[in-house]
Amino acid sequence: ENLGAVSRDAVNAQLSALSKPDREILARQGIRFGCAYVFMPALMKAAPIRLRGLLWIAGRRPSLAGVFPLLPPAGRVTFPVAVGAREDFMAACGYGVVSGNAYRLDMLERFAAIVRKLAREKVKVLPPAHLSILGSSAESAVPVLKSLGFKARKVDTDLTFAPRNRRAHGHQTPQ
């Protein structure tokens, strides 16, 4: 019903109920449990993204009143979205929207894993090479880091980040 991607927050209760063997079975079937989304990486290629978008539009055609969202550009990891773009449509296509940009979920999750690893290693400045995963600038990465549960800011040419206190803030799904 979500075309292969769902916010982790939306299914947290079900995920908590899964045993380790259950998770392993789902992982073998191609399900990825990311920090913000549960998704199928096999559906993150251009043709499945296009098909998912078309299926979403077809399923909601009567309620769209002839105003159909634009399909994501083929092969793009990130791209700007129009003000008022349907985030549910973008998620159905496999993109998370953060501050006016859509990021492909697999790349967003890969970036999150790298940043979490760097934070565990006590790195305070994000190496610029890691921004290429998102196809993003340091300025655009600040809201992405914040949506992933980090404090972040651009200082001169550096992008500094640090984990937030999880108890005080909890996890935020990219919006």
Side-chain angles (χ1 to χ4, degrees):
E1 65 199 47
N2 289 305
L3 299 173
V6 65
S7 161
R8 202 177 162 105
D9 291 342
V11 292
N12 223 15
Q14 293 93 331
L15 292 177
S16 297
L18 290 175
S19 66
K20 185 175 180 182
D22 292 337
R23 284 178 179 269
E24 290 170 354
I25 289 168
L26 290 170
R28 281 195 300 274
Q29 298 302 314
I31 307 290
R32 168 91 195 280
F33 302 97
C35 71
Y37 292 94
V38 177
F39 65 99
M40 299 180 74
L43 297 178
M44 297 295 151
K45 295 179 174 40
I49 286 172
R50 180 174 170 71
L51 177 59
R52 290 162 67 187
L54 292 172
L55 287 171
W56 187 94
I57 291 168
R60 288 159 184 80
R61 191 177 195 102
S63 66
L64 295 175
V67 180
F68 305 118
L70 295 174
L71 294 170
R76 297 286 299 274
V77 171
T78 185
F79 59 92
V81 292
V83 173
R86 302 248 343 216
E87 290 186 22
D88 55 340
F89 171 72
M90 296 309 302
C93 292
Y95 287 85
V97 178
V98 181
S99 293
N101 288 309
Y103 298 92
R104 211 171 68 198
L105 296 182
D106 56 340
M107 296 296 115
L108 195 58
E109 291 292 348
R110 186 184 298 176
F111 179 73
I114 288 168
V115 173
R116 284 191 313 268
K117 180 179 183 280
L118 291 170
R120 283 191 304 271
E121 295 169 354
K122 309 290 187 220
V123 173
K124 302 288 185 203
V125 176
L126 185 71
H130 294 306
L131 294 174
S132 65
I133 291 170
L134 293 179
S136 171
S137 68
E139 290 84 7
S140 303
V142 169
V144 172
L145 285 164
K146 287 181 178 180
S147 75
L148 294 171
F150 291 88
K151 295 183 241 176
R153 65 189 178 117
K154 188 166 182 296
V155 179
D156 298 324
T157 60
D158 292 335
L159 178 56
T160 63
F161 71 101
R164 281 196 204 130
N165 180 341
R166 292 181 71 106
R167 284 184 219 137
H169 299 284
H171 172 75
Q172 296 177 357
T173 299
Q175 299 285 325

